Amino acid sequence: MRAAAAFLLLLVNFTVFAQSGTVEVITLKYRTAEQVMPLLRPMLDKTGSMTGMQNQLIVRTSPANLNELKKILATVDAMPRRLLITVRQDAARDRDREEAQVTGRIVTGSGSVAVGDAGRDGGLRARIDNTRSLSDDRNTQTIQVLEGNSAFINTGQSVPVPQQQVTRTIVNGKNVDRVSSGVEYRSAQTGFNVLPRLNGDQVLLEINPQRDTFAAPEQNLPPGSVNTQRASTTVAGRLGEWIEIGGVAQGGVNQQTMIMGSTRETSADNRRILVKVEEIR
């Protein structure tokens, strides 16, 4: 009732300004007035005007211009195409650690010197340990949406993280620490929101993907630490093709040299975000 009353008031106010030209109320089939007015206004006569609400469009213009607008509207107000949007967020990690050490006993003129774990047999021994860890994590999410409409998908998990709080009070003139324990829940969310627009087989996407993951043990971070990944962009491409939104490549080397030994650790972290839009027929 409120929507009908508001539209009636809008129509009454509009007719006040309809001093000349033809006024027509057009009922839209698949689009809303808010969606089609930005497309029609550039084709409207300078002396004409246009307003609307929901699926009702009110136009005041010359008869010839009204016919032109209706021809455009016949193409614009068509059934929106159904789309399947797939977002893939990849993360590849490579950790390589090499440790070299010499142990044994060195005999000199004044005695012998033990290096590391010399053992009983003496002599020098060289030891090289190499450890490598590879991880390839691929997350894929899909959602259906009508062209010109926004969509949102999000999944995640929460884990309990123990917390301790120390409260200091004064009892009988002495400081007393009281420790209270609790649990805090940390969340890791993965998803995206997207707004697709089509022009033939070309697609324009406004997209904001995100991905959170809990830190791996080898990162040596506090419990409950979360790695975050965010992107916000507008990209264009063809239907059915993967479009790369962005990526990050990080690496580092940590090397330590000690007496009769050394350690070297290298790391690489490569991430990519891709999206593909397909039409559902």
Side-chain angles (χ1 to χ4, degrees), residues 101-106 114-119 122-127 260:
Q101 186 177 8
V102 176
T103 62
R105 188 178 299 275
I106 302 175
V115 179
D117 185 10
L124 293 176
R125 294 185 300 273
R127 178 174 60 87
M260 306 301 286

Side-chain angles (χ1 to χ4, degrees), residues 97-100 253-258 261-265:
R97 177 182 175 86
E98 182 179 279
E99 183 176 356
V253 177
N254 183 14
Q255 185 169 352
Q256 294 180 343
T257 303
M258 302 165 288
S262 65
T263 60
R264 177 184 173 88
E265 184 174 355

Side-chain angles (χ1 to χ4, degrees), residues 39-204:
L39 302 174
L40 296 179
R41 280 202 173 102
M43 308 303 297
L44 184 66
D45 279 349
K46 294 181 179 180
T47 58
S49 57
M50 179 186 302
T51 188
M53 186 176 64
Q54 296 180 358
N55 68 327
Q56 301 290 328
L57 184 67
I58 309 172
V59 182
R60 178 187 64 81
T61 187
S62 65
N65 186 229
L66 182 60
N67 289 332
E68 293 177 1
L69 295 176
K70 285 183 176 181
K71 290 178 181 179
I72 299 172
L73 195 59
T75 302
V76 174
D77 188 24
M79 180 178 292
R81 296 151 74 179
R82 286 201 309 154
L83 304 175
L84 178 67
I85 299 178
T86 304
V87 172
R88 200 178 81 194
Q89 303 191 59
D90 299 343
R93 301 182 183 90
D94 186 354
R95 300 287 186 272
D96 192 359
R97 177 182 175 86
E98 182 179 279
E99 183 176 356
Q101 186 177 8
V102 176
T103 62
R105 188 178 299 275
I106 302 175
V107 180
T108 65
S110 59
S112 62
V113 178
V115 179
D117 185 10
R120 295 181 179 180
D121 56 349
L124 293 176
R125 294 185 300 273
R127 178 174 60 87
I128 299 177
D129 293 332
N130 186 277
T131 58
R132 187 178 186 183
S133 63
L134 298 171
S135 64
D136 190 359
D137 187 11
R138 176 176 295 181
N139 180 277
T140 302
Q141 293 177 306
T142 61
I143 193 170
Q144 292 189 30
V145 64
L146 296 177
E147 62 166 309
N149 293 272
S150 59
F152 173 74
I153 185 173
N154 188 48
T155 60
Q157 64 178 128
S158 298
V159 298
V161 180
Q163 299 288 325
Q164 286 189 340
Q165 184 176 5
V166 179
T167 304
R168 175 165 293 182
T169 58
I170 299 177
V171 179
N172 297 327
K174 297 182 179 180
N175 292 328
V176 178
D177 292 339
R178 296 180 179 178
V179 180
S180 58
S181 300
V183 175
E184 178 184 347
Y185 283 86
R186 303 277 177 85
S187 298
Q189 307 291 328
T190 296
F192 62 91
N193 55 57
V194 63
L195 174 61
R197 295 184 176 92
L198 292 182
N199 182 13
D201 65 347
Q202 296 290 321
V203 59
L204 181 69

Side-chain angles (χ1 to χ4, degrees), residues 87 89 191-193 206-212 228-235 244-248 272-274:
V87 172
Q89 303 191 59
F192 62 91
N193 55 57
E206 296 178 21
I207 188 166
N208 299 274
Q210 70 172 68
R211 189 181 187 198
D212 300 335
T228 62
Q229 177 177 286
R230 300 285 189 276
S232 179
T233 185
T234 300
V235 294
E244 184 163 357
I245 297 175
V248 176
R272 288 201 313 163
I273 307 174
L274 303 102

